[in-house]
Amino acid sequence: MKPPKTTIDLMQGTLSALVLKALSCGPLHGYAVARWIEQVSGEGLLVEEGSLYPTLHRLEERGWIRSEWQRSATNRRVKTYSLTAEGERQLRAELAQWGRFSSAVSRVLRSRRTRPA
Amino acid sequence: VSAGTGRPDRSFGGRDIPRDVEDELASHLEMHEDELRARGLAPDAARRAALARFGDVARVREACRIIDERIARRRTRASMLTMVRQDVTFAIRTFRRSPGFSLVAVLALALGIGANTAIFSVVHAVVLRPLPYGSPDRLVFVWTTSSRAPREPLTPGRLLDVRTRNRSFSGAAGISHVPLNLTGDGAPERLPGSSVSSDFFEVLGVEAAVGRTFDRGEAGRAVVLSHGLWTRRFGADPAIVGRTITINGLPHEVRGVTPRDFVWPSITARPGGTFAGPELWVAARIKEIPSPPIDLDEDLSTRRQSQYLRLVARLKDGVTIEQARSDMEALAARLAEIHPDTDANQGLTVITAQEQLVGHVTLPLMVLAGAVIFVLAIACANVASLLLGRATARRRELAVRLALGAGRRRIVRQLLTESIVLSLAAAAAGTGLAWWAIGALTALAPMDVLRADQARLDTTVLAFTAALAVATGVIFGLAPAIQAARAAVGDGLNEAGRASDGPRGSRTRAGLVVAQVAAALVLLVGAGLLLESFVALQRTSTGIDTRNLLAFDVFLSGSRAEYQRLQTEFYDRMLERLAALPGVVHAGAAVTLPIGGDDFGASYIIDGKPAPESGQEPRAGLQIVSPRYFRTMGMRILRGRDIRPSDTREAPQVALVNESFARIGWPGEDPIGRRFAIGGAPNRVWLTVVGVVSDIRHFGPAEPPRPEFYRPYYQSSFPFMAVVVRTADDPLALVPSVRAAVLELDPALPISNVSTMEAHLYRSKAEPRFLSILLGGFALVALTLAAIGIYGMMAFAVTQRTREIGIRVALGARREDILGMVLRSGLSLAAAGAAAGLICAALLTRVLRAQLFETSVLEPTPVAAVTLLLLGVAAIAAAVPAWRASRVDVVRALRWD
């Protein structure tokens, strides 16, 4: 019914970066963040959704995101998160770092083995 | 850092974190379930799938809760800090607006807090800090007791008995005080030293800072140097350890140096002796018995007559001081049985090291501590009364703030913050004051107050000051703050503009003024009594003409020291030379210098009278003197003759006695030609009285003359003497020629302790002077504060009553009437305070009893004098506002709202 998926244990830092990225387009509640990650990663990155919440709370503690209780369309009490100015700075920093890291890794992975002459 | 500034954020109100976490996670699961159901899953399957996808709910819940609680705590702290910062900023702004009030309040409190800080630093340095020994609370001193004195030194025999037969001590070391001559490496010096049992430092629990201390059962000549001597004389050279130095002409190996903070005074049976502590320690060489001042270099272990040993001991683990006491009592009883002719009627007693070393200063220091607490209390009352007055004036402001929605608690907190800001500012100023005062205090403190010179503003003292400042702020601020908040609530805004003080407020202020006056009077009475006592002390003659009298010590060494005949020959030649110096009137010598020096004593029996039981013999001061000693000191020979060179060892043994001795020994009879004996049975010496000499106060003016007898140094002499030189002019001007004259006779002979008798006399009064100057100073501060209090109260009352005064004047009251009215109400407050103060003083001055010399605890003259002083100052303080009231402009007064 579904394509086989592998649950990847994401490193804490990576998950934080994903959450910040998720919130960069606007306020979301935790469930929406989970769905967004699922969608944009093409369901390639599968997190155990529960682990998202300690991450959200820790990001709030660091002041990168803030939370607010709201009524949802279905009149549910939901907690939505949004990025703070500091969070945006953090996201930019992480993106830059990730870019450097991944291009370095791909250079290594794509290089042909050459024998020393 | 804080998120959601300005936005309603109910998630972290600290309300219910577990519920919020629960809700958040539940909403996630529900939404997921909904979505899965919408995709066609059965409710059960949807639920299971959502849960499976979510993971361990309980663990996530717990993790979130912990983080949220941390956030909540941090936010609470931050918001409290913000609030405090706001309050403080507001308080500072308020004080800037009324600089006069702030200055007076800060000054008054600074005096109080500064005085407390300074005295606390001394109390802390001297009494509260543990003594610098290992487990100092386990350290005790052992003394002999008898009907003659509560504490007497031990004999060598008794020292050994305590060492070997006790069941209470893990160690017990003997101590004797011996002056030591240090020669070689620089000028010869005579230093206060100590001979001790080899386990002395072990008993104290003190390790050497450099090298080591003595070995157990030390047999060689070994010495441990004090840190001070090591630094001063040997340039703090660590290589000194193992070297040999010459002490009393004999080589001693340097074992080590005591730690820098090690303090050890001379141990006296009468606490508060003014001798300096030892600068070096030599180990006892024979059977652990410290040497007497004249080292006989022989086995003294069977001697049960000469009492010269002090004993310090360490309690065994688990043994209480009471157990040690009964152990020693039992031992003393046993010794009395074994040695009936020497140890009968003698007990042994144990006191704590704390009592021995600082016991005598504890009470005076507590008196000073009490005095500064009074000063601070007066300052508090003063500022509280100022604040009450201000609160009246600020009623409109407070009412506005209440109307704008500030709670009553918020207002009280704001006012309390103001008080604490005030007292912290005062603490800062007071610490500066204390820094200066501590310098003065340590310079003025009597020498025998151990570690007084170590008083300083360390962290403990500063913490005390900070705590005191906060407590002070709350004490003087709380009542006015509550009253102000209450009044502000009571008043409507419209009424609040009138600066009228309610009856309750003015009653409280009057009460505060009365309390200030009362407390000030208590201090004044105490200071007055001490001053009276000090004046009495100043007036008391010691029996010595101390003007133009130079004193110094000589200490012989080598062969000269060993033979008494050579000693006396040398002394005779020295005194002859000194007397011949230009500017010298007379010269004499005695083995111990009155007032500034040591004292020797002996028990005696009178010929022809029934001998008292052993141990009950009367004791008298023993002096060994040169001819013309009495004339040099300005003492009078009342009957008989002075000693003379013909009183040789071969001639009959003679003595002069003083008036007290004659009165006790031969009441109503002529003592000339009568005999008395000193010393125990085998070496008893009979002395024939050849003269009677006037009484002197050997221990200084505070102690009455004791019976004393004087032996010629031709018949018994010591290798050391105190030399006194009567000069025609300033005695200090003669020091160089005196020194040169002695060095000419013997270039290796150190003369030490050079000082005038006036200086010795001055030092002997150090403690009463210290106490009366300090208490006097505090009393004056208290008086000033109380005067400010009265002035403030009356000035405020006059302002309040301007309208009433105007009406009175308009109705024909004369200016004198107004003046009298205000003056009377001020003085009646002062009189009420004085009455209360006298009652308190009557209850409190008895703590001074031990400090008072020939003055009763309620001596009428000083009490009356200080009461009048207080009322006079109160009258002046009330007169200024009274005069202002009498000048009130009627027209303006009637318009006054």
Side-chain angles (χ1 to χ4, degrees), chain B residues 829-866:
Chain B
L829 283 182
L838 284 176
I839 293 169
C840 295
L843 295 172
L844 286 175
T845 50
R846 64 189 60 185
V847 304
L848 288 176
R849 181 168 296 151
Q851 319 298 327
L852 292 179
F853 171 73
E854 290 179 1
T855 307
S856 88
V857 292
L858 276 177
E859 190 84 14
T861 322
V863 172
V866 296

Side-chain angles (χ1 to χ4, degrees), chain A residues 29 31 35 38 46-50 53-54 57-58 60-61 66-69 76-77 79 81, chain B residues 3 7 10-12 20 23-25 28 30-32 34-35 53-54 60 67-68 70 74:
Chain A
H29 46 68
Y31 180 71
R35 289 287 77 78
E38 199 176 43
L46 237 177
V47 293
E48 213 175 45
E49 289 179 3
Y53 285 91
H57 287 228
R58 218 169 279 126
E60 179 167 26
E61 186 183 12
R66 58 169 155 260
S67 68
E68 198 179 356
W69 284 97
R76 221 181 239 127
R77 204 164 89 89
K79 195 175 176 187
Y81 296 90
Chain B
R7 247 201 271 172
R10 298 197 300 112
S11 57
F12 292 108
D20 280 355
D23 281 3
E24 184 178 20
L25 303 188
H28 177 106
E30 280 167 30
M31 283 188 275
H32 200 179
D34 287 355
E35 197 179 312
R53 190 78 173 75
F54 193 85
V60 170
I67 298 169
D68 286 4
R70 208 158 54 210
R74 194 178 299 165

Side-chain angles (χ1 to χ4, degrees), chain B residues 468-694:
Chain B
L468 190 70
V470 173
T472 303
V474 172
I475 288 169
F476 72 71
L478 196 56
I482 290 172
Q483 193 159 336
R486 200 193 285 140
V489 171
D491 286 349
L493 252 184
N494 22 352
E495 246 189 291
R498 282 245 328 263
S500 74
D501 196 6
R504 189 193 282 133
S506 80
R507 258 205 311 279
T508 314
R509 298 194 67 198
L512 286 171
V513 168
V514 169
Q516 286 177 58
V517 172
L521 187 58
V522 170
L523 287 188
L524 281 170
V525 168
L529 291 173
L530 284 174
L531 195 68
E532 173 86 3
S533 154
F534 190 68
V535 168
L537 202 59
Q538 288 284 46
R539 272 204 220 107
T540 301
S541 164
T542 53
I544 299 165
D545 183 2
T546 51
R547 290 163 302 165
N548 291 351
L549 199 54
L550 188 72
F552 61 89
D553 294 341
V554 291
F555 195 92
L556 306 181
S557 56
S559 64
R560 211 170 252 145
E562 281 170 42
Y563 303 101
Q564 294 207 338
R565 199 172 49 78
L566 294 179
Q567 292 171 10
T568 321
E569 264 174 27
F570 178 81
Y571 294 146
D572 267 350
R573 270 199 294 148
M574 178 180 67
L575 292 177
E576 206 175 302
R577 277 193 96 102
L578 289 175
L581 287 175
V584 171
V585 183
H586 300 294
V591 72
T592 66
L593 186 71
I595 302 169
D598 207 341
D599 73 297
F600 285 4
S603 45
Y604 63 92
I605 52 171
I606 302 279
D607 190 19
K609 295 205 175 169
E613 226 180 300
S614 159
Q616 307 271 34
E617 301 97 341
R619 261 181 101 76
L622 160 65
Q623 271 286 40
I624 288 163
V625 297
S626 73
R628 287 180 300 282
Y629 169 74
F630 301 117
R631 198 179 303 161
T632 311
M633 293 290 273
M635 297 159 70
R636 285 164 298 130
I637 296 175
L638 303 169
R639 309 177 72 93
R641 63 167 177 88
D642 196 354
I643 61 165
R644 49 193 179 214
S646 60
D647 295 324
T648 57
R649 301 178 79 76
E650 294 72 33
Q653 301 279 304
V654 299
L656 280 86
V657 295
N658 71 351
E659 296 166 85
S660 299
F661 193 111
R663 209 166 32 242
I664 294 168
W666 303 276
E669 295 171 59
D670 184 2
I672 305 289
R674 312 302 275 272
R675 297 200 315 157
F676 65 98
I678 55 170
N683 24 22
R684 175 161 288 172
V685 182
W686 285 97
L687 304 171
T688 305
V689 177
V690 295
V692 179
V693 71
S694 58

